[in-house]
Amino acid sequence: MVTIEAGIGPHSRTLRTDLRGAVDDALDAFFTEKAGLSAGTAMEGVVEALRAYVLAGGKRLRPLLCLCGWQAAGGSPRDPAAVRAAASLELFHAFALIHDDIVDNAAVRRGHPSLHVSLALLGRGDHRARNERFGRDSAILVGDLAMVWSDEMLHGSGMTPTQLRAVRPLLDQMRSELMFGQYHDLLSSDTSPDVGTALTIASYKSGRYTVQRPLQIGAALAGADESLLDACTAFALPIGEAFQLRDDLLGIFGDARHTGKSTLDDLREGKGTVLMALALRDADPTQRATLSSLVGDPALDEAGAAQARAVLVATGAAAKVEQMIEERLRQGLAVLDDAPFHPDARDALRDLARAATVRAA
């Protein structure tokens, strides 16, 4: 992996940092406008909770990829309208994360309480269960609000009607594909996962939602033709799968101080990841019995998690996933050599691909 990591340019990293700051500024300005409209109403606290949730952290990968797509088709990545359009994808991502945390019963996101946990503190009941129910119900509504505001932010970005029409089918596809991936994820938690199904989930949740569609959305807004959009796909799908595979490893082997999420949640939920599918496929009877008794247990503690991690390593599953990440990263980077992208966009995409898939625990 060292040879892949080498060569990330400092200029590209600086630009990525600058653009992430510009995206955050656009989001902050949007929330300031909404805060003014909700001041003095019951929604004031909710808007502030959503604002804090969105701006608390995150890689801003989808907005940055959107800006890379815009640049690939000849646009300036610092164009204010492009930045606002790209930032709207972060609001949609917030909607997805809020609902995902409810489904997964995850208490922490990005090192902070999940939104349904934060909103439970606004409950007025005297019973903990009642306040927790209020927090979950409120978070569902606030997640829906984030999705609505995502659309509003895009349409108020300054893009022309022609540009918005060009991007509409891609937005529709992205949203549908995410829901398909999430539903497959739910199904996989109730069955023993197989590698093919787990890779399908990775393709929907990250190959398409995280990388392909944001990249294509930016390119389409800048007037990209079909050949450029196809090149986006050829790059995005392997990089997106590599990103999801890395995320699956970090979800179990990562350091919560760096990842901002618990390393117990995926094991407790019994996530049907490629990592788990490989381990179950290659495990001996004793190893399989160990995983079956531990994975999916909502009360799993750190001692049990350590046993599960040991099996994931002993079966060779963790090493195989590392190899799959490297193969997909090489495949995606190779596409950039001949892609009809602006040279600066190629450099930015190389940087983003490495940053998203070669991540320290």
Side-chain angles (χ1 to χ4, degrees), residues 313-328:
V313 172
T315 59
K320 287 186 179 72
V321 171
E322 287 285 3
Q323 181 181 0
M324 293 171 73
I325 292 170
E326 184 168 351
E327 290 170 351
R328 282 158 175 76

Side-chain angles (χ1 to χ4, degrees), residues 279-294 311 315:
L280 288 170
R281 186 193 70 184
D282 298 336
D284 62 32
T286 300
Q287 291 170 327
R288 190 173 294 108
T290 298
L291 289 177
S292 297
S293 67
L294 296 171
V311 173
T315 59

Side-chain angles (χ1 to χ4, degrees), residues 2-16:
V2 175
T3 56
I4 293 177
E5 177 67 20
I8 298 178
H11 172 73
S12 185
R13 279 198 299 264
T14 300
L15 179 61
R16 173 156 55 96

Side-chain angles (χ1 to χ4, degrees), residues 160-311:
T160 67
T162 299
Q163 289 171 307
L164 294 173
R165 282 195 298 272
V167 83
R168 187 80 244 176
L170 293 169
L171 279 169
D172 292 341
Q173 287 175 303
M174 179 188 75
R175 293 167 178 175
S176 295
E177 286 161 355
L178 173 63
M179 303 311 165
F180 294 159
Q182 292 291 78
Y183 184 68
H184 276 296
D185 207 7
L186 279 178
L187 290 177
S188 73
S189 297
D190 290 332
T191 60
S192 295
D194 63 83
V195 176
T197 299
L199 280 171
T200 297
I201 294 170
S203 176
Y204 273 112
K205 290 181 65 177
S206 284
R208 302 185 191 192
Y209 165 63
T210 299
V211 185
Q212 180 193 17
R213 298 310 181 194
L215 190 60
Q216 287 185 324
I217 285 167
L221 287 170
D225 60 19
E226 285 300 320
S227 65
L228 195 145
L229 293 176
D230 289 344
C232 289
T233 297
F235 164 81
L237 293 183
I239 295 299
E241 287 187 13
F243 171 81
Q244 185 62 53
L245 292 169
R246 174 63 64 203
D247 210 51
D248 292 342
L249 279 174
L250 291 177
I252 294 176
F253 293 99
D255 185 335
R257 293 171 298 179
H258 298 151
T259 64
K261 59 183 291 188
S262 169
T263 53
L264 295 176
D265 287 349
D266 285 1
L267 290 170
R268 287 172 172 170
E269 289 296 317
K271 287 281 186 179
T273 62
V274 174
L275 175 66
M276 195 60 62
L278 287 169
L280 288 170
R281 186 193 70 184
D282 298 336
D284 62 32
T286 300
Q287 291 170 327
R288 190 173 294 108
T290 298
L291 289 177
S292 297
S293 67
L294 296 171
V295 177
D297 178 4
L300 182 72
D301 58 15
E302 187 54 49
Q307 293 181 56
R309 292 187 193 107
V311 173

Side-chain angles (χ1 to χ4, degrees), residues 108-128:
V108 178
R109 170 68 66 177
R110 295 170 175 170
H112 300 277
S114 299
L115 190 64
H116 65 277
V117 175
S118 297
L119 291 177
L121 300 177
L122 300 179
R124 300 174 181 176
D126 296 328
H127 302 289
R128 177 181 174 182

Side-chain angles (χ1 to χ4, degrees), residues 72-101:
S76 167
R78 301 180 190 276
D79 183 292
V83 170
R84 287 191 292 270
S88 74
L89 295 181
E90 193 65 26
L91 282 178
F92 181 77
H93 188 50
F95 143 75
L97 293 181
I98 291 166
H99 285 194
D100 196 45
D101 286 342

